[in-house]
Amino acid sequence: MNPAVGQAEVAQDERPSRSDLELCKLQIMFSLQADKRLIYVGVQPTVALRYLTRLVAARPRVLRNHIRRVYLSIQCADSERVTGALIDLLLVLRGRGQFLVNRLIQQSGPLLLSEHRITMNKAVDTRELDLLSSLPLDNSVLSNGRCTRLSIQKQLH
């Protein structure tokens, strides 16, 4: 037997298969649903973040999922996703929960651009959610039309 072929077969066996990766992702989803902690403890936070983002889109009124998404975005050090998660949280709370939102903005501070942080703080303090329309909405799953609608309503009044 050729030793190079034998080593290649061993390396092939050690590499996880596509079905193993899918099972791992599925396991992460189930464990996220069962785990009630706000901080994610696991090996694949980016997979968990994508799942939580979908969960927030499907069930936007579950506050725990929003908070977990913000913390997971911080854990992944993803500035754009932190911004999107905070925008969604602000939209769901509709000006309420100022202490919670201020704390999350403060904890996200190093990842947020200063102008985004200032705009979010102003939106929280004044309860003018139309200010959020000036932020990048690419990673917000709940802003589809809401921010624009809020600014149009304000112009009409």
Side-chain angles (χ1 to χ4, degrees):
M1 184 169 152
N2 185 350
V5 173
Q7 289 175 350
E9 288 175 0
V10 170
Q12 181 75 17
D13 291 339
E14 291 175 0
R15 203 173 326 138
S17 69
R18 185 171 178 83
S19 62
D20 290 341
L21 292 174
E22 294 301 320
L23 282 174
C24 183
K25 288 179 183 179
L26 193 60
Q27 182 59 42
I28 290 170
M29 292 177 207
F30 282 118
S31 64
L32 268 174
Q33 288 179 356
D35 189 7
K36 299 301 178 195
R37 292 178 285 191
L38 293 177
I39 307 290
Y40 173 72
V41 179
V43 293
Q44 293 189 341
T46 53
V47 173
L49 180 56
R50 280 194 303 261
Y51 175 70
L52 265 177
T53 301
R54 286 191 211 111
L55 200 57
V56 163
R59 298 182 193 141
R61 297 200 183 263
V62 181
L63 184 61
R64 175 183 299 277
N65 291 336
H66 284 278
I67 296 169
R68 291 174 85 187
R69 182 176 166 216
V70 170
Y71 281 136
L72 204 46
S73 299
I74 294 170
Q75 188 178 351
C76 292
D78 191 331
S79 173
E80 294 172 355
R81 290 182 189 224
V82 169
T83 302
L86 286 169
I87 289 170
D88 289 341
L89 178 63
L90 285 165
L91 289 173
V92 166
L93 290 177
R94 293 188 216 136
R96 296 180 304 241
Q98 288 180 317
F99 293 114
L100 171 66
V101 176
N102 283 332
R103 182 175 178 184
L104 291 173
I105 291 172
Q106 180 185 18
Q107 290 175 342
S108 305
L111 292 173
L112 291 174
L113 295 175
S114 61
E115 56 267 12
H116 294 174
R117 189 176 356 84
I118 291 168
T119 302
M120 285 184 197
N121 282 327
K122 190 172 180 180
V124 170
D125 294 341
T126 62
R127 295 184 179 189
E128 293 182 31
L129 298 180
D130 59 322
L131 296 172
L132 300 176
S133 63
S134 67
L135 297 174
L137 303 175
D138 299 338
N139 288 290
S140 169
V141 294
L142 301 178
S143 66
N144 188 11
R146 281 176 111 174
C147 291
T148 312
R149 203 171 344 135
L150 288 170
S151 61
I152 290 172
Q153 285 176 351
K154 187 174 181 181
Q155 290 173 357
L156 293 175
H157 293 283

